[in-house]
Amino acid sequence: MTYKTIRFAILVAAAGLLLVAATACFFGGDDEPEPEPTADLQATIAAAVSSATPTETPVPEPTATPVPPTPNIQATLQAMLAATAAAQPTDTPVPPTDTPVPPTDTPPPPTNTPEPTAAAVPPTPSLVDISAKDPSVRPAIITGKVTIGGSTAPEGTVVEGRSAGAKPVGTRTNAEGIYQLQVGRAGYVLDLYVNGQDSGVNSDVTALGKPQAKNLSVQ
């Protein structure tokens, strides 16, 4: 109850007391009123206030929330390990104990394999004059004059005829600078060299018994 409600109750109690006093005076007449005990106004107001003040409502004690039990972690782990072990297969395959024994028989040594015979390499043909072996064969003749730096080559200048796959054939110049190569095989084209220097001149295809003229010039 609020302060306004208490104040209103006090005013109602005071008004009631005044009403009682006024009624006694009105109906008393000329008779001498008997003295009434003096009302204890302070006690009446206190009683009114006490009856108007609400009693304290008891506050209920808070109910304690039940605390869940602390889980036993160790027991939980042990239970999980036990469940895992139970799920594993119990039958472990046993590896075979028998070790294979290598054969004791020693294989015979390999027989001697003959080395492959190298193919015979044909000898390199020679372009030299073969008329010495067969006088009936007339060699192919390559001849001409040799100049070195515009002058007649001195006597003894080396002239060679070279062809791939054959041995070269050579000769020397005479006092007039004339050379003469005698080729004992037909069907060859020779590169002509002077003192080991390529003259830039090639022979015609050699034919036995037929001469050909080739002048040579080097610097």
Side-chain angles (χ1 to χ4, degrees):
M1 184 178 293
T2 62
Y3 175 74
K4 291 182 177 181
T5 305
I6 295 173
R7 184 178 178 183
F8 178 77
I10 294 173
L11 295 177
V12 169
L17 291 176
L18 294 176
L19 179 61
V20 169
T23 303
C25 293
F26 180 78
F27 291 99
D30 295 334
D31 295 335
E32 185 70 22
E34 294 181 0
E36 292 184 3
T38 304
D40 190 350
L41 181 60
Q42 186 67 29
T44 303
I45 293 172
V49 171
S50 177
S51 62
T53 303
T55 61
E56 294 183 358
T57 303
V59 179
E61 293 293 333
T63 304
T65 303
V67 179
T70 303
N72 191 337
I73 299 177
Q74 185 66 27
T76 303
L77 291 177
Q78 291 180 356
M80 292 175 63
L81 292 176
T84 303
Q88 298 295 328
T90 57
D91 296 331
T92 303
V94 180
T97 58
D98 296 336
T99 303
V101 179
T104 57
D105 296 337
T106 303
T111 57
N112 294 329
T113 304
E115 295 292 333
T117 304
V121 179
T124 303
S126 175
L127 299 179
V128 298
D129 183 11
I130 61 174
S131 59
K133 296 181 180 180
D134 188 357
S136 64
V137 176
R138 297 176 59 189
I141 301 298
I142 304 172
T143 185
K145 184 175 182 178
V146 179
T147 59
I148 299 176
S151 301
T152 301
E155 184 179 0
T157 300
V158 177
V159 176
E160 286 183 320
R162 303 177 183 179
S163 180
K167 292 180 180 180
V169 60
T171 188
R172 292 178 181 273
T173 59
N174 59 16
E176 288 79 22
I178 302 299
Y179 77 95
Q180 181 176 305
L181 285 174
Q182 296 183 10
V183 183
R185 294 182 180 276
Y188 283 85
V189 176
L190 305 181
D191 294 333
L192 302 177
Y193 284 75
V194 176
N195 287 338
Q197 182 179 354
D198 190 356
S199 66
V201 178
N202 295 338
S203 72
D204 299 331
V205 178
T206 58
L208 296 178
K210 293 184 178 180
Q212 51 181 294
K214 296 293 179 179
N215 295 326
L216 307 178
S217 176
V218 295
Q219 297 298 322

